[in-house]
Amino acid sequence: MVDLTLDTDHVPDVAEDGVWLSCIECNETYAPFDDVIYECDACGGLLEARYADYATFDDFAGEGVWRYADALPVSGSVSIDEGNTPLYEVPGIAEEVGVADLRVKHEGMNPTGSFKDRGMTVGVRVAERLGVGRLVCASTGNTSAALAAYGARANMETLVLLPAGKVAAGKLAQAGLHGATILEVDGNFDDCLDIVSELAEMGEAYLLNSLNPFRLEGQKTIGLEMLEQSTAATGEWPDRIVLPVGNAGNTAALHKAFRELVAAGAMDEDEVPMLTGVQAEGAAPMVEAIENDYDEVRGWDDVETRATAIRIGKPVNAPKALPAIRQTGGTAVAVSDDEITDAQRALAEDGIGVEPASAASVAGLRKLRENGVIEDDERVVCLTTGHLLKDPDAAAAAGGEPTPVPNDVEGVLDVL
Ligand SMILES: *Cc1c(COP(=O)(O)O)cnc(C)c1O
Ligand SMILES: [Zn+2]
């Protein structure tokens, strides 16, 4: 397994402003803002941003993603006030599952309704710095909504490739209104990603999927913000973070946030929360790899789930996310679509509206409490990644039906 300890002693010549890219497999280093590069030229491995200095809590000031500017690769921003999302208490679910403390970090409260905004505010700024004019992504929906909004804000052309018929209505509407060119592919997400990766290699557009190491830098701020909010609310950090897994970008990004705090001396290795991934049963290659102790994730060709945001068979960030889960002592678990919908209802009963993929985190928590993997003395944060209104059809199907009444008070009183 790759060694993800951050070296704080050596700054390579290729560094610019104390930032460089490093291959997680072979440690080859690259200049961050000279050429457009997504994967290691030497071995094809995933890249990661590295810094001459790692920021600590004292360095953070302001609000939202750019509060953490000292931990980010660029300054200046294409910002729509992303980040600063609530860390909610959930009394109903907390009582039901019985852990020492339970919070929900609701990333659906970002400007376009998902955590993707945190990655885009950084990624689009890097695109500006690189001088590229056209942005592209493959998407199950939320990446395209965020890219369209941030691309519009930066006056850049945006191109999105989506699996035809598999994108929730709210997400498609956002991409369209923010002016992206939307291409519907007769295939699944993984097929779309193959095509945009090739377009990016040909230099046709700058790729802002989570393969892009700069996007994950923005998503790192979920972890930093969560720690600061936990300290403010309870005086303690969570023992465990439970999150939905699609391409596993967030799993990798949260781990990166904590590794950097360890490198900066702001967190002990044994204080890093256990990263616990949840997938839908119909799209669970990460869970399979964890359960079977595989060295690598074996991609699934056919995937299906109501949680369309995690309907992904070949998680591109698996080489970062598998060590993230293993090295933090976390685990991964699969849940059924019905368990996801039940969890979506449970969150709604606590007043929190999420899309199906987000509810997977709570469904996973329930399952891991039932089988005793998560213990009753743990402090847990569930990450809910997208807003209820993203997928109005799923919400309507999970919720109650309207009752028709006559146009008078008596008729209304009759049904009360
Ligand atoms: C993108 C997305 C995910 C998957 O996140 P990864 O970082 O790819 O694992 C989960 N939920 C929602 C709502 C998303 O938009
Ligand atoms: Zn390499």
Side-chain angles (χ1 to χ4, degrees), residues 133-136 147-152 156-160 175 178-182:
R134 185 192 283 151
L135 308 172
V136 70
L147 183 74
Y150 284 83
M156 283 191 217
E157 185 185 339
T158 56
L159 177 63
V160 304
H178 287 301
T181 301
I182 305 172

Side-chain angles (χ1 to χ4, degrees), residues 93-103 365 369 374-380:
I93 301 172
E95 183 173 325
E96 174 214 316
V97 298
V99 287
D101 190 64
L102 179 64
R103 312 262 156 168
L365 168 65
R369 274 297 291 143
I374 296 183
E375 296 179 31
D376 61 4
D377 62 353
E378 290 187 27
R379 318 177 68 81
V380 180

Side-chain angles (χ1 to χ4, degrees), residues 325-337:
I325 290 172
R326 288 178 176 147
Q327 287 170 15
T328 61
T331 187
V333 66
V335 293
S336 70
D337 278 7

Side-chain angles (χ1 to χ4, degrees), residues 193-389:
L193 187 60
D194 285 346
I195 296 172
V196 294
S197 297
E198 235 173 280
L199 290 174
E201 281 309 318
M202 293 162 66
E204 291 292 328
Y206 187 60
L207 182 66
L208 275 169
N209 281 97
S210 57
L211 181 65
N212 185 312
F214 296 118
R215 226 193 79 187
L216 297 188
E217 292 303 289
Q219 289 171 215
K220 220 168 59 176
T221 62
I222 299 172
L224 302 174
E225 201 175 275
M226 178 192 297
L227 293 186
E228 291 197 300
Q229 289 173 316
S230 296
T231 305
T234 70
E236 292 187 74
W237 288 336
D239 300 309
R240 187 187 296 272
I241 298 168
V242 185
L243 74 162
V245 173
N247 270 310
N250 264 341
T251 314
L254 286 165
H255 192 217
K256 180 102 185 319
F258 303 139
R259 285 158 55 214
E260 291 188 359
L261 290 172
V262 170
M267 188 178 217
D268 289 339
E269 198 106 38
D270 62 8
E271 291 177 307
V272 173
M274 293 175 274
L275 291 170
T276 301
V278 187
Q279 294 191 302
E281 279 172 356
M286 283 281 293
V287 176
E288 180 187 65
I290 291 288
E291 284 179 350
N292 295 290
D293 220 11
Y294 294 164
D295 288 340
E296 288 177 14
V297 165
R298 304 178 188 178
W300 291 14
D301 286 328
D302 296 307
V303 283
E304 198 50 86
T305 169
R306 196 179 292 158
T308 51
I310 51 172
R311 188 173 170 275
I312 290 168
K314 296 168 186 166
V316 294
N317 286 296
K320 292 177 176 173
L322 276 182
I325 290 172
R326 288 178 176 147
Q327 287 170 15
T328 61
T331 187
V333 66
V335 293
S336 70
D337 278 7
D338 284 346
E339 288 166 336
I340 288 173
T341 300
D342 281 347
Q344 194 183 17
R345 289 196 193 98
L347 279 157
E349 281 170 20
D350 273 336
I352 299 171
V354 306
E355 66 167 286
S358 306
S361 60
V362 169
L365 168 65
R366 280 174 156 176
K367 182 161 275 185
L368 292 170
R369 274 297 291 143
E370 273 160 30
N371 64 21
V373 172
I374 296 183
E375 296 179 31
D376 61 4
D377 62 353
E378 290 187 27
R379 318 177 68 81
V380 180
V381 173
C382 286
L383 196 66
T384 56
T385 41
H387 198 277
L388 176 153
L389 293 173

